[in-house]
Amino acid sequence: MIEFSFIPLFTWLVSLLAVPAILLCRKKPDVREGVTFLAAFLKLGMVFMMLPLIRDGKILHFRFGEILPGIPIEFRVDGLGILFALVASSLWILTTLYSVGYMRGLKEHDQTRFFAYFAISLSATIGVAFAGNLLTLYIFYEILSLSTYPLVIHHGDKEARTGGRTYLSHLLGTSVAFVLPAMIYCYWKSGTDINFTEGAFLDGKIGSSDGLIVLLAFTLGFAKSGLMPFHSWLPNAMVAPTPVSALLHAVAVVKVGVFCVLRIFTGVFDTDFLQKLNVGTVITYIAAFTIIVSSLIALTQDNLKRRLAFSTIGQLAYIVLGVSFLSSNGVTGSVMHIAMHAFGKITLFFCAGAIFVASGKKYISQMVGLGKQMPITMIAFLIGSLSIIGLPPFGGAWSKWYLFLGALDANQTAMVIVLVISSLLNIAYLLPIPVNALFRSPSQKDGKDSDSGIKEAPLACLIPLCITALAGLLFFLFPGLGFELAQLITK
Amino acid sequence: MDPIIATFIEDNIVPKFNYWIYVILMMIGLYAMITKNNLMKKLIGMAIFQTAIILFYVSIGVKDTAGIPIISHHGSEHHQGATVHSESGSSSEEVSPVKVKNNTIDKDKYANPLPHVLMLTAIVVGVSTLGLALAISQKIFKSFGTLEEDEILNKLRPGSHD
Amino acid sequence: MTEHFPVLILLVPLFGALIVVLLGKERPNQCWMTSLISLGISSIISLFTVVAVLADKFQTIRYRMGGWPESNGYEVGIELRVDILAALVVFAVTFVGFVNTIYSKTRAETEVQGKVSFFYALIQLLIVGLCGIVMTNDAFNLYVLIEITSLTSYALIAMGNRRAALSSFNYVIMGTIGASFYLLGVGYLYIKTGTLNIDDIRMVLGNNNLWEHQSIIVAFIFIMLGLWTKMAFFPLHGWLPNAYAYAPSMTGTFMAPLMTKVMVYVMIRVMVWLFGNEFVYSGQHVWGELVIWMSVIAIVAGSLLALARTDIKKMLTYLIVAEVGYMVGGAWLGNVTGQAGAFYHILSDAAMTFCLFIAASIIVLRVGDSRVNAFDNLFRKMPLTMIGFTVGALSMIGLPPTCGFFSKWYLISGGIEAGQWEYVCALIFSSLVNAVIFFRIFERAYFGQITEVKEDFVPFDSDANPETAIKEVPWSMLFPLFIASGFVLLVGIMNRTLFEWIQTALKMVNT
């Protein structure tokens, strides 16, 4: 079953090797972006090479050598990892295309630095996805925090720095304060074994109260998952350029957070073992609280990117909620939601960026009637919203469906109600934006003159968002792959 | 005098007077080193402090009725090392592990020389510390024009970043 | 030849120091070359010693000075003993000395003008003293060597400006108190045991079951107080920040990484070899819990004091105070993991402090400002220096794969094993504070000041344009920085091997 392979290494390495090339080509932007594209396609290609093997039930692994007694730095590719890698690497291509349009459209400074750190971040994301043990996971998690920091403070002004400080202090602070001691505790408790193998390593080795503390430390410590009360880095990180917000804060970084939580539930503990300890409900309630509160906050935000950020917090909490049901349907729902939300949310961010590039508008109240000038963008926005809300015929419907099933399996009627209410809230904060833009004309006060010159964003921005919106539709029709991979870890 | 105090003096101070003296001297020295404002007085305190410890060491080498540890009778090289052996089970009252048989050296007649030897080194160390400290205080005096600590600190204040 | 290695490590720099004095101050280049060669030889020998100990399955090398034979199971003369721990620390000392001498090349001629020969002589004597401290097996000899290092370091610090002289004076006072307390403790031990050889004292204590005797307890407390003063364990740290911050830069870069660390080594040695674990960690004494709490206070206070500083070097010196807290706490946890973690931290802290101090000295020298705003835009102006600084800083924060992460890993493991959660919390707190401290600097180094109006500062070369004056320093200073940062990574990557060696040595004495 477990097979040694170099492909995980190369998948991880390819974006890292792109960094020196990007730096060398800093004088020739076209070559530089070419290098990024090349790396992105190679990465996706290698993920696709691994995919059939994983679907056959194999597990690929690559080990660098032991770094601490009993703990190697190790890559181990399983269903969950490959799904996440697939999402991240395919969206990297689209985001690169989008970034080219966005960064050039706005004539941003330090584009080389931007692309270089972007590539490092992607490597770190793949590192997390393929991590074979807790330490490897932790190391790449930290590298991801550090390498995205320069992207967040890209503008270098006061607002960006404040955002960057919140960003780093939350992510680094929680991981050092909670994850590190919890990891060492596991290491000590499980007898120097913190490798993710068949069956979780902490299974049966820890008591109920200790288990709860460790579980809480991990779940809150991986603050990239945006669970309250450590969520505020995410809205603050919206000062970054939009491609960063799109890929990192809708896909890579936040998904790394929930991915880590999934790993904790399935690889460190075990859903059955957690059921025995009876500690899942605490996480359930934290997640439910986060869903409702973040949705309510999202309603009040006028800055489009901030509203999307709070929406992301809520959607991430769905994923954590699904896992915390400790049932296979819940976990399936969570795994599916990682992919569905990724495509949905990146569409919305791409649209937000496209609107900003084309019209310079950041606030929702200014966007009334914008559908006339930017119909494609707004229709894509509508599709993305519907997918996130979870309405058929879009991919989000599947994951929502399984989350409902998970809640019923766990006999959590209260959570069914939470899911219903939150879906209504999703509608309330997402749908008005495209609907107002498409079907209402702007109020007279704004004056039509200011909007008349606005056209659709550059093609490089437009193509990616159309692709991701279409993907949302395709996922509804062909959800098979997602199920398959999700089932690999739930059985 | 209160009988309790009297017994305390009799039991704890008189037989252990050397310790009391060194502790008192040491405390005087420590007091001067920590509280005095004048750097020179601090150094005087330091000298007292170090001397107190030297006294302590010297006093532990002393035995009643013992003389200087020089072997006067003939054939001394015959006895050295070969007959001196240690006793691992020595009681806590003993000063030295060296136990000497009757036919060779009578250890009670000789004071223990080792603490004195150690103190020769300690004195050298003490003197060099003192000399160095004096040299440093000269440098301080040259650049500040005073040896009072508070005045020096006042002179430093305007330019300091602290 | 091999059996004489321990004494050769000492003799080579000792004669180097004499030669340097004889060469005189007229020939600074020859002085530099002499000390470079002598320290180079010394560090090569100590590297061979490490190899020799490893090749001999961790067998301790014992060397009788002057060839005095033992008499009836007791050592008469002074003995040098080198196990793997001592060999590693000696290598760290001599190698840091060697690299620091490269760094001193250009600095010594400007910072201690006219006293170059004395500087090189003193620094070599200091290294002799430090190596002697690590290797000697004689409690009184240890005192003398401690005083030799102290005397040389007083003089080295006093070579700086007028503030340095005052700091050195305070150091003299505190250092003498510390050393005297140590001497007193040795006196009490001598009263009870009649011997000064560390192994023999342990043997006599064990054979006669003197553990619970008051004199031994008093001796232990005195020795600990003395060593804590010498290693600047909070609240006995008062002398350290000023002394290291105002000393000539090449003195600071040598002493900051080594002096306190060697004292921590002595403390571990006294605890494990002289008194023994069963005495130190026996539940009958209150000190176990107390010292852990003291180290917690030291870590927290050191970190917070560092956070409050705007002067870079001062900030780093307070970080040393916090790091000393790490090591004391680790050594007192009462398990081998903690002890070995504390010992591993000696090596890793030496590497990272060396790295940070060199980087800070270079930056202060180039920018001419010792405050945090010296770092404005330095990633653009001095990228190589900043890379070195970043490696050291990440290690201080404790991020993998730098050695700081692994030492924290082992120390936290020890804390969890001992159930001392307050210590674990303190370590994590300190990591977080370090993160704040260093990212504050990184942010400035990356983007410069936010405000448009720059504070006026005096650049290093005031004639030149301030924008171009701040550039990379010569290779004689950058090279040591890169070696240091290389070692930060190397010690980190090799942590498993090093930790196994340390654990083996510590387990050998415990059984």
Side-chain angles (χ1 to χ4, degrees), chain A residues 434-455:
Chain A
V435 169
N436 283 342
L438 287 170
F439 304 119
R440 266 178 60 188
S441 46
S443 56
Q444 292 305 314
K445 264 185 276 174
D446 284 1
K448 282 198 169 180
D449 302 336
S450 60
D451 281 2
S452 55
I454 299 170
K455 287 183 298 196

PDB file of all heavy atoms in Angstrom, chain A residues 434-455:
ATOM      1  N   PRO A 434     -24.590  40.910  -6.204  1.00  0.00           N
ATOM      2  CA  PRO A 434     -24.777  40.781  -7.662  1.00  0.00           C
ATOM      3  C   PRO A 434     -26.170  41.185  -8.112  1.00  0.00           C
ATOM      4  O   PRO A 434     -26.326  41.742  -9.206  1.00  0.00           O
ATOM      5  CB  PRO A 434     -24.521  39.289  -7.919  1.00  0.00           C
ATOM      6  CG  PRO A 434     -24.726  38.609  -6.622  1.00  0.00           C
ATOM      7  CD  PRO A 434     -24.350  39.596  -5.572  1.00  0.00           C
ATOM      8  N   VAL A 435     -27.170  40.929  -7.288  1.00  0.00           N
ATOM      9  CA  VAL A 435     -28.537  41.250  -7.701  1.00  0.00           C
ATOM     10  C   VAL A 435     -28.682  42.756  -7.892  1.00  0.00           C
ATOM     11  O   VAL A 435     -29.191  43.229  -8.911  1.00  0.00           O
ATOM     12  CB  VAL A 435     -29.543  40.706  -6.672  1.00  0.00           C
ATOM     13  CG1 VAL A 435     -30.928  41.262  -6.942  1.00  0.00           C
ATOM     14  CG2 VAL A 435     -29.560  39.182  -6.718  1.00  0.00           C
ATOM     15  N   ASN A 436     -28.168  43.529  -6.913  1.00  0.00           N
ATOM     16  CA  ASN A 436     -28.254  44.978  -7.032  1.00  0.00           C
ATOM     17  C   ASN A 436     -27.449  45.474  -8.215  1.00  0.00           C
ATOM     18  O   ASN A 436     -27.837  46.425  -8.891  1.00  0.00           O
ATOM     19  CB  ASN A 436     -27.725  45.654  -5.763  1.00  0.00           C
ATOM     20  CG  ASN A 436     -28.745  45.571  -4.651  1.00  0.00           C
ATOM     21  OD1 ASN A 436     -29.925  45.328  -4.927  1.00  0.00           O
ATOM     22  ND2 ASN A 436     -28.305  45.778  -3.434  1.00  0.00           N
ATOM     23  N   ALA A 437     -26.314  44.841  -8.428  1.00  0.00           N
ATOM     24  CA  ALA A 437     -25.458  45.306  -9.512  1.00  0.00           C
ATOM     25  C   ALA A 437     -26.106  45.027 -10.865  1.00  0.00           C
ATOM     26  O   ALA A 437     -26.014  45.835 -11.789  1.00  0.00           O
ATOM     27  CB  ALA A 437     -24.096  44.618  -9.436  1.00  0.00           C
ATOM     28  N   LEU A 438     -26.783  43.876 -10.962  1.00  0.00           N
ATOM     29  CA  LEU A 438     -27.314  43.495 -12.263  1.00  0.00           C
ATOM     30  C   LEU A 438     -28.667  44.131 -12.540  1.00  0.00           C
ATOM     31  O   LEU A 438     -28.953  44.509 -13.663  1.00  0.00           O
ATOM     32  CB  LEU A 438     -27.431  41.970 -12.349  1.00  0.00           C
ATOM     33  CG  LEU A 438     -26.117  41.212 -12.499  1.00  0.00           C
ATOM     34  CD1 LEU A 438     -26.340  39.719 -12.335  1.00  0.00           C
ATOM     35  CD2 LEU A 438     -25.504  41.495 -13.868  1.00  0.00           C
ATOM     36  N   PHE A 439     -29.516  44.213 -11.507  1.00  0.00           N
ATOM     37  CA  PHE A 439     -30.908  44.558 -11.793  1.00  0.00           C
ATOM     38  C   PHE A 439     -31.320  45.932 -11.307  1.00  0.00           C
ATOM     39  O   PHE A 439     -32.427  46.351 -11.548  1.00  0.00           O
ATOM     40  CB  PHE A 439     -31.834  43.487 -11.196  1.00  0.00           C
ATOM     41  CG  PHE A 439     -31.513  42.114 -11.697  1.00  0.00           C
ATOM     42  CD1 PHE A 439     -31.121  41.096 -10.840  1.00  0.00           C
ATOM     43  CD2 PHE A 439     -31.569  41.843 -13.063  1.00  0.00           C
ATOM     44  CE1 PHE A 439     -30.823  39.846 -11.316  1.00  0.00           C
ATOM     45  CE2 PHE A 439     -31.267  40.580 -13.540  1.00  0.00           C
ATOM     46  CZ  PHE A 439     -30.889  39.583 -12.678  1.00  0.00           C
ATOM     47  N   ARG A 440     -30.473  46.651 -10.588  1.00  0.00           N
ATOM     48  CA  ARG A 440     -30.864  47.992 -10.167  1.00  0.00           C
ATOM     49  C   ARG A 440     -29.979  49.009 -10.869  1.00  0.00           C
ATOM     50  O   ARG A 440     -28.811  48.738 -11.159  1.00  0.00           O
ATOM     51  CB  ARG A 440     -30.731  48.142  -8.652  1.00  0.00           C
ATOM     52  CG  ARG A 440     -32.040  47.846  -7.915  1.00  0.00           C
ATOM     53  CD  ARG A 440     -31.874  47.957  -6.428  1.00  0.00           C
ATOM     54  NE  ARG A 440     -31.458  49.302  -6.035  1.00  0.00           N
ATOM     55  CZ  ARG A 440     -31.105  49.591  -4.780  1.00  0.00           C
ATOM     56  NH1 ARG A 440     -31.086  48.668  -3.863  1.00  0.00           N
ATOM     57  NH2 ARG A 440     -30.771  50.818  -4.479  1.00  0.00           N
ATOM     58  N   SER A 441     -30.536  50.175 -11.091  1.00  0.00           N
ATOM     59  CA  SER A 441     -29.696  51.213 -11.673  1.00  0.00           C
ATOM     60  C   SER A 441     -29.165  52.075 -10.542  1.00  0.00           C
ATOM     61  O   SER A 441     -29.793  52.192  -9.495  1.00  0.00           O
ATOM     62  CB  SER A 441     -30.500  52.056 -12.656  1.00  0.00           C
ATOM     63  OG  SER A 441     -31.732  52.383 -12.044  1.00  0.00           O
ATOM     64  N   PRO A 442     -27.985  52.641 -10.707  1.00  0.00           N
ATOM     65  CA  PRO A 442     -27.400  53.423  -9.623  1.00  0.00           C
ATOM     66  C   PRO A 442     -28.251  54.627  -9.283  1.00  0.00           C
ATOM     67  O   PRO A 442     -28.938  55.182 -10.151  1.00  0.00           O
ATOM     68  CB  PRO A 442     -26.051  53.845 -10.202  1.00  0.00           C
ATOM     69  CG  PRO A 442     -26.182  53.718 -11.669  1.00  0.00           C
ATOM     70  CD  PRO A 442     -27.147  52.616 -11.904  1.00  0.00           C
ATOM     71  N   SER A 443     -28.221  55.041  -8.034  1.00  0.00           N
ATOM     72  CA  SER A 443     -29.008  56.190  -7.607  1.00  0.00           C
ATOM     73  C   SER A 443     -28.480  57.445  -8.317  1.00  0.00           C
ATOM     74  O   SER A 443     -27.308  57.521  -8.690  1.00  0.00           O
ATOM     75  CB  SER A 443     -28.925  56.343  -6.088  1.00  0.00           C
ATOM     76  OG  SER A 443     -27.574  56.441  -5.719  1.00  0.00           O
ATOM     77  N   GLN A 444     -29.367  58.425  -8.441  1.00  0.00           N
ATOM     78  CA  GLN A 444     -29.026  59.601  -9.241  1.00  0.00           C
ATOM     79  C   GLN A 444     -27.882  60.406  -8.642  1.00  0.00           C
ATOM     80  O   GLN A 444     -27.148  61.074  -9.347  1.00  0.00           O
ATOM     81  CB  GLN A 444     -30.276  60.489  -9.390  1.00  0.00           C
ATOM     82  CG  GLN A 444     -31.350  59.856 -10.248  1.00  0.00           C
ATOM     83  CD  GLN A 444     -30.828  59.466 -11.630  1.00  0.00           C
ATOM     84  OE1 GLN A 444     -30.144  60.244 -12.289  1.00  0.00           O
ATOM     85  NE2 GLN A 444     -31.133  58.246 -12.068  1.00  0.00           N
ATOM     86  N   LYS A 445     -27.776  60.330  -7.323  1.00  0.00           N
ATOM     87  CA  LYS A 445     -26.785  61.182  -6.647  1.00  0.00           C
ATOM     88  C   LYS A 445     -25.370  60.887  -7.151  1.00  0.00           C
ATOM     89  O   LYS A 445     -24.554  61.782  -7.337  1.00  0.00           O
ATOM     90  CB  LYS A 445     -26.863  60.986  -5.134  1.00  0.00           C
ATOM     91  CG  LYS A 445     -27.727  62.015  -4.434  1.00  0.00           C
ATOM     92  CD  LYS A 445     -27.678  61.847  -2.936  1.00  0.00           C
ATOM     93  CE  LYS A 445     -28.687  60.781  -2.503  1.00  0.00           C
ATOM     94  NZ  LYS A 445     -28.585  60.490  -1.076  1.00  0.00           N
ATOM     95  N   ASP A 446     -25.093  59.600  -7.355  1.00  0.00           N
ATOM     96  CA  ASP A 446     -23.751  59.237  -7.784  1.00  0.00           C
ATOM     97  C   ASP A 446     -23.405  59.850  -9.137  1.00  0.00           C
ATOM     98  O   ASP A 446     -22.256  60.143  -9.428  1.00  0.00           O
ATOM     99  CB  ASP A 446     -23.613  57.713  -7.892  1.00  0.00           C
ATOM    100  CG  ASP A 446     -23.486  57.104  -6.520  1.00  0.00           C
ATOM    101  OD1 ASP A 446     -23.530  57.895  -5.565  1.00  0.00           O
ATOM    102  OD2 ASP A 446     -23.377  55.874  -6.419  1.00  0.00           O
ATOM    103  N   GLY A 447     -24.420  60.016  -9.910  1.00  0.00           N
ATOM    104  CA  GLY A 447     -24.187  60.568 -11.243  1.00  0.00           C
ATOM    105  C   GLY A 447     -23.733  59.477 -12.178  1.00  0.00           C
ATOM    106  O   GLY A 447     -22.878  58.683 -11.839  1.00  0.00           O
ATOM    107  N   LYS A 448     -24.351  59.416 -13.315  1.00  0.00           N
ATOM    108  CA  LYS A 448     -24.023  58.342 -14.244  1.00  0.00           C
ATOM    109  C   LYS A 448     -22.666  58.546 -14.901  1.00  0.00           C
ATOM    110  O   LYS A 448     -22.051  57.603 -15.359  1.00  0.00           O
ATOM    111  CB  LYS A 448     -25.109  58.233 -15.318  1.00  0.00           C
ATOM    112  CG  LYS A 448     -26.350  57.531 -14.820  1.00  0.00           C
ATOM    113  CD  LYS A 448     -27.196  57.058 -15.960  1.00  0.00           C
ATOM    114  CE  LYS A 448     -28.281  56.119 -15.431  1.00  0.00           C
ATOM    115  NZ  LYS A 448     -29.129  55.626 -16.488  1.00  0.00           N
ATOM    116  N   ASP A 449     -22.222  59.783 -14.893  1.00  0.00           N
ATOM    117  CA  ASP A 449     -21.002  60.103 -15.636  1.00  0.00           C
ATOM    118  C   ASP A 449     -19.807  59.315 -15.109  1.00  0.00           C
ATOM    119  O   ASP A 449     -18.992  58.824 -15.866  1.00  0.00           O
ATOM    120  CB  ASP A 449     -20.698  61.601 -15.553  1.00  0.00           C
ATOM    121  CG  ASP A 449     -21.860  62.403 -16.088  1.00  0.00           C
ATOM    122  OD1 ASP A 449     -22.627  61.822 -16.910  1.00  0.00           O
ATOM    123  OD2 ASP A 449     -22.012  63.554 -15.686  1.00  0.00           O
ATOM    124  N   SER A 450     -19.743  59.213 -13.793  1.00  0.00           N
ATOM    125  CA  SER A 450     -18.553  58.599 -13.205  1.00  0.00           C
ATOM    126  C   SER A 450     -18.441  57.126 -13.595  1.00  0.00           C
ATOM    127  O   SER A 450     -17.348  56.596 -13.700  1.00  0.00           O
ATOM    128  CB  SER A 450     -18.575  58.727 -11.683  1.00  0.00           C
ATOM    129  OG  SER A 450     -19.724  58.076 -11.187  1.00  0.00           O
ATOM    130  N   ASP A 451     -19.605  56.475 -13.813  1.00  0.00           N
ATOM    131  CA  ASP A 451     -19.559  55.049 -14.111  1.00  0.00           C
ATOM    132  C   ASP A 451     -19.483  54.753 -15.603  1.00  0.00           C
ATOM    133  O   ASP A 451     -19.197  53.628 -15.995  1.00  0.00           O
ATOM    134  CB  ASP A 451     -20.815  54.358 -13.556  1.00  0.00           C
ATOM    135  CG  ASP A 451     -20.669  54.136 -12.072  1.00  0.00           C
ATOM    136  OD1 ASP A 451     -19.614  54.562 -11.543  1.00  0.00           O
ATOM    137  OD2 ASP A 451     -21.575  53.577 -11.466  1.00  0.00           O
ATOM    138  N   SER A 452     -19.745  55.759 -16.391  1.00  0.00           N
ATOM    139  CA  SER A 452     -19.937  55.454 -17.801  1.00  0.00           C
ATOM    140  C   SER A 452     -18.663  54.961 -18.470  1.00  0.00           C
ATOM    141  O   SER A 452     -18.721  54.165 -19.393  1.00  0.00           O
ATOM    142  CB  SER A 452     -20.452  56.695 -18.536  1.00  0.00           C
ATOM    143  OG  SER A 452     -19.558  57.762 -18.288  1.00  0.00           O
ATOM    144  N   GLY A 453     -17.504  55.393 -17.953  1.00  0.00           N
ATOM    145  CA  GLY A 453     -16.247  55.010 -18.606  1.00  0.00           C
ATOM    146  C   GLY A 453     -15.760  53.624 -18.241  1.00  0.00           C
ATOM    147  O   GLY A 453     -14.762  53.149 -18.771  1.00  0.00           O
ATOM    148  N   ILE A 454     -16.482  52.958 -17.315  1.00  0.00           N
ATOM    149  CA  ILE A 454     -15.977  51.684 -16.811  1.00  0.00           C
ATOM    150  C   ILE A 454     -16.233  50.571 -17.805  1.00  0.00           C
ATOM    151  O   ILE A 454     -17.322  50.461 -18.365  1.00  0.00           O
ATOM    152  CB  ILE A 454     -16.647  51.360 -15.460  1.00  0.00           C
ATOM    153  CG1 ILE A 454     -16.290  52.451 -14.471  1.00  0.00           C
ATOM    154  CG2 ILE A 454     -16.255  49.999 -14.966  1.00  0.00           C
ATOM    155  CD1 ILE A 454     -17.050  52.379 -13.203  1.00  0.00           C
ATOM    156  N   LYS A 455     -15.194  49.771 -18.030  1.00  0.00           N
ATOM    157  CA  LYS A 455     -15.361  48.599 -18.889  1.00  0.00           C
ATOM    158  C   LYS A 455     -15.007  47.365 -18.068  1.00  0.00           C
ATOM    159  O   LYS A 455     -14.584  47.453 -16.921  1.00  0.00           O
ATOM    160  CB  LYS A 455     -14.418  48.703 -20.088  1.00  0.00           C
ATOM    161  CG  LYS A 455     -14.860  49.742 -21.098  1.00  0.00           C
ATOM    162  CD  LYS A 455     -13.919  49.745 -22.291  1.00  0.00           C
ATOM    163  CE  LYS A 455     -12.537  50.113 -21.868  1.00  0.00           C
ATOM    164  NZ  LYS A 455     -11.599  50.498 -22.887  1.00  0.00           N
TER     165      LYS A 455
END
